[in-house]
Amino acid sequence: RAAAPEEKFLMSCPSELADTCLNISILAVMLSPNDTTSLIGTIRAAAPGVNFTSRLFARPRPLLDPSSAVLWAIALCTVIVASFVSSAKERRQQKARQGGDRTMDSVSDIPVQDVGMLHAVGFIFAASCALVLLFFFIRSVIFFMIIIYCIASVSAFTGITMGPLQGLSPSLAAEASLPLLGKVERSALLALSAGIAIATTWFVNRHELWAWALQDVLSVSLCIHILSLMRFPDAKVSATLLCLALVYDIFWVFISPLLFSENVMIGVATGQGHQYNSSSPLPPPSDMIPMLLVVPKVWDWAGGVTLLGLGDVVLPGLMVSYALRMDYLRRGTCLGGYFILLCFGYGVGLAMAIVASVLMRMGQPALLYLVPCTLLPFFSLAWCRGELHDVWYGPGGKAAGHGAETDDGEAEYGREEEGASGLEAAAAAPAEEIHQRLLDKGQ
């Protein structure tokens, strides 16, 4: 393991091998990597003409580890669950229409933010600026980031668990009066208390081996909550954002070492930051950025963890949730449409990223594999079905001849009434418009 130059390793001898250890005739020492470099420099300085080499012997490390499969399953399940949560309104509306009840068409859920083109470009620019700042100052602000992460995760956990709690026990929907807070739903109190307990336990014990499970609970809650509050309005914005994010990942992983002499993305993700003085390496950071899914390695004798950034879940997840909404609006079901195909593509892309990181022995930008494996199947299926124009402009698209917007803001695709006359089409128009049309026909 890496150690500070002043750190010393204590060597011991098993009691059953005491005689062998005491009579050993070969000098054996244990040096840290930094001490090894220092020793080689000292020897070369003392004997300039001597060719000195060193060789490191280490136990072989396994190529695959169960932690990769667990991480893959957590990420895929998070995307699937978050997609169903974000499309709850469309699903309820479709069930209401099938039952002949139009009262559910105007259901208003939690306000949702549509990600526009300006948001997409601005997000990548802001993320790049933030990454550079964190690269230089990550050690100074890491504790503050952990606090923000805990607060955001508690809020997300509360938001996504209130509904299920009320479903399990309708009595939790009742309100309770509290000092200073007034009337608060019991489900909110229960969810908030559980979220605070989980976040506090993780914060206090975040360096313990078992704390990864609590961190994953908080990170999954954060991903689901973000995907329930944000969505792509059309495939045009989704393709733009994912392609920009792909370029962002490639630049900061593969090209940044040419500009900064260090890998900016890895430096921020591990909490190491910028190495200001290469002659005196900084000690390993005590914390990494918490916005990660983490699973400890099981078979690797050197330990370590398998990591996945939350951006690799949220950004492709926005595309998957958009596909599910399109399926509900166009076909009324999640089967046989875009959603199943994109879930499969996300799983394949993430598996490819994991395999690539194992074979290359280095971290990989997951979006390099996730973006093609989600966008290409989506647009290929849309093209084969002749729906490319509709999905490109989305449910609220205003393109001429493609989809008219209904009262509740949804597009009615492919519902043109055959044989409708001009007067029948004008039946719902204002009286002035009908009169004008009749005058035009008379002329």
Side-chain angles (χ1 to χ4, degrees):
R1 68 190 178 104
E6 65 274 7
E7 182 178 356
K8 305 300 179 184
F9 291 95
L10 297 179
M11 301 186 64
S12 60
C13 179
S15 58
E16 62 271 15
L17 299 177
D19 295 338
T20 303
C21 294
L22 293 176
N23 296 323
I24 193 170
S25 58
I26 301 176
L27 178 64
V29 295
M30 184 179 292
L31 298 174
S32 69
N34 293 331
D35 290 336
T36 302
T37 303
S38 177
L39 178 62
I40 293 175
T42 302
I43 294 176
R44 287 177 175 173
V50 178
N51 184 18
F52 182 82
T53 60
S54 64
R55 184 176 294 178
L56 176 65
F57 295 92
R59 293 165 56 187
R61 302 175 65 177
L63 285 177
L64 297 178
D65 193 272
S67 61
S68 298
V70 175
L71 185 70
W72 178 88
I74 292 175
L76 181 58
C77 291
T78 301
V79 169
I80 294 175
V81 172
S83 298
F84 278 100
V85 172
S86 66
S87 61
K89 179 179 179 180
E90 288 79 7
R91 187 165 56 256
R92 290 200 301 269
Q93 289 175 343
Q94 181 60 33
K95 290 181 179 179
R97 291 195 186 98
Q98 291 175 352
D101 182 10
R102 299 287 298 186
T103 59
M104 290 294 294
D105 286 359
S106 59
V107 172
S108 60
D109 292 354
I110 299 175
V112 177
Q113 174 64 53
D114 283 341
V115 180
M117 194 64 71
L118 184 61
H119 296 124
V121 177
F123 171 77
I124 298 300
F125 177 77
S128 299
C129 295
L131 191 67
V132 173
L133 291 176
L134 289 176
F135 179 63
F136 289 102
F137 305 108
I138 183 67
R139 290 176 178 261
S140 302
V141 301
I142 185 65
F143 188 78
F144 176 75
M145 293 179 64
I146 292 175
I147 297 297
I148 297 299
Y149 168 79
C150 289
I151 296 174
S153 299
V154 169
S155 176
F157 182 87
T158 303
I160 68 173
T161 54
M162 285 177 55
L165 286 175
Q166 293 179 7
L168 293 174
S169 177
S171 62
L172 292 176
E175 295 182 341
S177 297
L178 296 178
L180 301 179
L181 297 179
K183 293 184 177 181
V184 182
E185 292 183 355
R186 294 177 181 177
S187 60
L189 290 177
L190 182 58
L192 179 61
S193 301
I196 292 176
I198 294 173
T200 303
T201 304
W202 172 80
F203 178 79
V204 175
N205 303 279
R206 64 185 183 276
H207 296 139
E208 300 294 332
L209 182 62
W210 51 266
W212 69 272
L214 299 180
Q215 181 176 353
D216 285 353
V217 170
L218 298 175
S219 295
V220 167
S221 302
L222 201 56
C223 290
I224 295 176
H225 193 58
I226 292 174
L227 289 173
S228 67
L229 297 179
M230 302 178 63
R231 66 181 184 181
F232 286 141
D234 51 53
K236 177 173 57 177
V237 175
S238 64
T240 302
L241 179 56
L242 288 179
C243 290
L244 288 176
L246 173 60
V247 174
Y248 166 90
D249 248 15
I250 293 175
F251 178 84
W252 291 113
V253 172
F254 296 118
I255 302 179
S256 65
L258 303 178
L259 303 177
F260 297 87
S261 71
E262 297 174 65
N263 192 311
V264 175
M265 185 75 77
I266 299 298
V268 173
T270 60
Q272 182 70 30
H274 177 54
Q275 183 64 53
Y276 291 95
N277 186 1
S278 58
S279 62
S280 58
L282 294 173
S286 58
D287 289 293
M288 294 190 301
I289 60 172
M291 286 72 75
L292 300 166
L293 291 176
V294 181
V295 179
K297 294 183 178 180
V298 179
W299 293 343
D300 196 334
W301 60 267
V305 294
T306 304
L307 307 173
L308 183 67
L310 298 190
D312 299 325
V313 178
V314 172
L315 294 180
L318 286 169
M319 185 67 194
V320 177
S321 63
Y322 172 73
L324 182 57
R325 286 170 42 233
M326 290 298 297
D327 284 341
Y328 279 128
L329 291 175
R330 297 182 63 85
R331 294 172 179 82
T333 178
C334 63
L335 302 177
Y338 300 101
F339 174 68
I340 299 297
L341 182 63
L342 261 66
C343 287
F344 179 78
Y346 180 85
V348 171
L350 187 56
M352 291 174 59
I354 293 174
V355 171
S357 65
V358 170
L359 296 179
M360 299 182 186
R361 294 288 187 179
M362 61 177 293
Q364 295 290 309
L367 292 179
L368 179 63
Y369 308 91
L370 291 173
V371 171
C373 288
T374 52
L375 287 184
L376 292 181
F378 179 81
F379 287 114
S380 298
L381 180 59
W383 180 78
C384 292
R385 290 180 171 179
E387 301 171 351
L388 186 58
H389 192 286
D390 293 339
V391 299
W392 181 255
Y393 288 100
K398 298 289 188 178
H402 288 267
E405 196 159 331
T406 61
D407 293 338
D408 55 1
E410 298 174 5
E412 298 285 349
Y413 294 107
R415 299 183 182 179
E416 297 158 352
E417 297 292 337
E418 297 182 0
S421 66
L423 289 177
E424 290 173 340
E432 295 81 3
E433 185 178 6
I434 296 175
H435 181 67
Q436 184 61 42
R437 291 187 182 182
L438 293 174
L439 290 177
D440 294 340
K441 286 190 175 185
Q443 293 175 359

